[in-house]
Amino acid sequence: MSINIPRGTQDILPGEVELWQLIEKKARDLCEKYQYQEIRTPIFEHTELFSRGVGDTTDIVQKEMYTFEDRGGRSLTLRPEGTASTVRAFVEKKMYGNANQPVKLYYMGPMFRYERPQSGRFRQFVQFGVEALGSHDPAIDAEVISLAMNLYKEMGLKKLKLIINSLGDKESRLAHRDALINHFKPRIGEFCKDCQSRLEKNPLRILDCKVDRDHELMKSAPSIIDYLNEESKAYFDKLQKYLTQLDIPFEVDPNLVRGLDYYNHTAFEIMSDAEGFGAITTLCGGGRYNGLAEEIGGPETPGIGFALSIERFIAALKAEGIELEVNPGIDCYLAALGEEAKDYTVGLLQKLRLAGISAERDYLARKIKAQFKAADRLNAKYVAVLGEEELNQNKINVKNMATGDQVEVDLDGFVEYIQGMER
Ligand code: HAM
């Protein structure tokens, strides 16, 4: 019996991977402009990091983690997201003591969630995320949002919708929490088991329930916006002012609560508005998490960030019909005729490559016509033909595939010749 790929995972093959690389490169370039530096953390962490950081009552922790015991009896979990790990590293490596503050970090790598696979929802997916730690300024919230928006825009996406909300500070959240409990308590029996246990532990999570989302009490639930204290309101107003200043259109949605527990103040999601995108339209999610560093055992540190998956990014590009030039082809294909010439191209190929030229030769003993076909498939800009006769005369025949022009050049000057040509 053959062994297949696990459910909810993907192989990304040549031909597809180039688009991934392009997005990854754009993301890195943009991070450099915005001055975010890369951090790489382990793929697995102590389970407690996520149960404390992401939150015990969240779907992620309750249902979606890949948790296992290692041979030493420790409970470890494949990371379901990148924020908790980043903040753990920030605390553990005492980055709050860095001279440069705020500390602005980004990461790119696989995350794991045991979710029901469907279009746009995988069990292993790649997140690109940024985290800015150490600043209370709403201008950095606006910066983080603008980084995500600009990445999408640079790749050509137009049908984007930014939704923002404020979850307020501790005081506002406590007031809202009481209001939620009062609202749901009398009829909590009509809700699912999860919601019933959420009522006292974390009633905000009820608003995020996928089972009971159409219950009438959901629509009439007290909105956090009405419970924001003056300080939280002022923070949210400032953010909106900055987004307007940055020309980033947004909608305020008081029902946006996000699926992770660490948020306060700013919460946001970027959705695709493209027709035919499918049921899951959230491309990117993020927000502020001022208490998280403390929760993990560090000093009080404000933080804000977002994460987006490359899988949904690509789905959005497809939904908008955006095709990017991702296979520009190789610079030079070396075609050879006869044993001696073939042998010679082994060294010549190396010289081309070491000179910074992308180059290929035949490894299947193909006839010259088939070698030209192979060069075509590789989209070669130049095909250099070396026969016994050329070799004896220390020459090589170079064909420009765009114009059809052919020239004979000295073998000794061949690499420099290709280097000097338009590539
Ligand atoms: P999240 O909303 O759980 O937030 O995930 C962020 C993004 O990851 C989603 O908007 C989506 O693009 C992608 N994503 C999540 N689950 C899947 C999946 N199963 N398949 C494909 N893509 C998926 C977080 O992870 C937070 N750590 C974001 C954050 C960073 N907040 C502050 N800083």
Side-chain angles (χ1 to χ4, degrees), residues 157-160 271-281 314-322:
L157 287 177
K158 293 198 172 63
K159 299 186 175 154
L160 299 169
M271 332 275 287
S272 169
D273 248 354
E275 241 174 82
F277 184 74
I280 302 168
T281 55
I314 290 175
L317 290 170
K318 287 206 178 112
E320 287 201 31
I322 297 166

Side-chain angles (χ1 to χ4, degrees), residues 60 80-83 107 113 115 120-123 125 127 130-131 258 260 262-263 269 282-287 289 304-309 311-312:
I60 294 183
E81 59 105 51
T83 309
Y107 49 85
R113 295 186 194 175
E115 295 198 83
R121 182 166 282 159
F122 297 89
R123 288 184 172 167
F125 54 98
Q127 272 189 348
V130 313
E131 313 292 351
R258 309 268 307 121
L260 305 91
Y262 46 60
Y263 292 114
E269 286 187 355
T282 304
L283 298 179
C284 169
Y289 45 84
I304 166 110
F306 72 74
L308 59 87
S309 72
E311 286 81 355
R312 290 194 195 165

